[in-house]
Amino acid sequence: MMSAAPGRGAAALLRGSQRVCLQCTRSATPLRTTTTTPFPTLLSRRTFAAEAAAASPIPEQQQPTQQPPLPKPSPGPSPYHIKSAVILTRPPLLTRLPTPFESSFYLYQKRLNERLVAPFRKDYYFKQDTAHDLEWRIKIKERHGVPAKDIGRYNPRGRMAWNDEVLVGSTASSPETLTENLLKDAEVRVSEDGELIAPEEIVPVEKPMPRRTEADEKNDKTRLDRKLDETLYLVVKNGKTKEWGFPMGQVTTEEALHHTAARALQEAAGVNMNTWIVGRVPVAHRVVEPEWVVESESEPEPAPESEPESESKSKKFVRRGDKIFYLKGRIMAGQADLSGNTQGLTEFRWLTQKEMEKVLPREVWESVKGMVELR
């Protein structure tokens, strides 16, 4: 009998009894019972704080008042012009010449490497008693038994192999000496028939073109084939102000900065150049403040019994300022042509960093010097 009690209790819960306890019957809060669950559910419940807040009215002085809308400022003319300029560059075409210390260091490293590598086996490359073998023996004798062509008179296998340092003032590591030795070693001394060629019949090897061009000799700053180991920058001269600067144009409402820079470059230097704007983000900027004038408007003379009022002053600008954003560009081919420019430009030059610093106005140079390459 005791074991059946829990079963009857569970069955009563599953049948969904509608009986309510005595405490819930005496409660003033209305209850709702369902046939699907034996537990009563509250229809609504309000806390005492909510009832007290609803009962107490809000005083009129504490009620929120609607603020009037703030007056919108009238859109006046901007005191600045937004402009976009392009810094057109030609990158270096040659590596710079090494310093004397760098040349000596490189030659010293070559000599160390020659001491560490395996000995040169000529039998692997030249067949015995052939024209190439005969020419090899002639040239190795001129180099005092040194297989390498660009380490000077130094034998890494001899008893003086320890003496591999370059002395101060030696020309063995200079680029001119190395070039001369390589050109002399490249001359053919033996014909294809295995016969020696007379010294007067030896054909010299053509030398490479010099690093200094004709434009460098004439100091022609309008040509692009000058200063091949440095970066060149295009600067133009304004006919009115007689100042040097970069091609520049005013930004319209329908253009982005890089579009304005490309258009300004075409209007200033023509279309005979293959150029491209590097990115869409400015690399430098400059602000030219507008010119202001203070105007005083005096009120009509007051009556004798009234006190004089102070004059009201207004500030107006007579010339708008400029906010100039500089974008970087590259030239791949072509040349600048100012014959049909619409900006009143009279001259152009391709200048290096040091040359550009001397001709640009100080405020312009201070704005762009942070993005100029060191060479």
Side-chain angles (χ1 to χ4, degrees), residues 121-137 193-194:
R121 302 295 181 184
K122 72 177 186 65
D123 298 337
Y124 183 80
Y125 296 94
F126 307 111
K127 189 176 181 180
Q128 190 175 4
D129 297 333
T130 58
H132 295 287
D133 180 58
L134 179 59
E135 185 169 0
W136 163 259
R137 283 183 287 176
D193 299 334

Side-chain angles (χ1 to χ4, degrees), residues 29 68 100 104 134 137 158 184 193 206 291 320 323:
T29 305
S104 302
L134 179 59
R137 283 183 287 176
K184 184 178 180 181
D193 299 334
E206 184 179 0
E291 294 182 3
R320 293 188 179 184
K323 291 187 177 181

Side-chain angles (χ1 to χ4, degrees), residues 194-208:
E195 298 180 358
L196 294 176
I197 301 177
E200 60 274 6
E201 297 180 0
I202 296 178
V203 179
V205 180
E206 184 179 0
K207 295 183 178 181

Side-chain angles (χ1 to χ4, degrees), residues 136-184:
W136 163 259
R137 283 183 287 176
I138 294 175
K139 293 181 179 180
I140 197 68
K141 185 178 180 180
E142 293 178 353
R143 295 198 295 265
H144 303 276
V146 181
K149 307 175 184 179
D150 54 352
I151 63 174
R153 298 185 61 178
Y154 169 74
N155 192 348
R157 307 297 174 186
R159 60 185 183 86
M160 297 296 293
W162 59 270
N163 190 13
D164 54 2
E165 296 183 0
V166 182
L167 301 180
V168 178
S170 175
T171 59
S173 61
S174 63
E176 294 79 8
T177 303
L178 294 177
T179 303
E180 183 180 354
N181 294 338
L182 292 175
L183 292 176
K184 184 178 180 181

Side-chain angles (χ1 to χ4, degrees), residues 89-100:
T89 61
R90 188 224 64 187
L93 304 180
L94 299 177
T95 57
R96 64 173 179 84
L97 285 174
T99 62

Side-chain angles (χ1 to χ4, degrees), residues 9 18 80 82 112 135 186 224 228 253 257 267 323 340:
Q18 298 183 1
Y80 292 97
I82 306 300
L112 287 181
E135 185 169 0
L224 281 165
L228 300 180
T253 56
L257 290 177
E267 293 176 355
K323 291 187 177 181

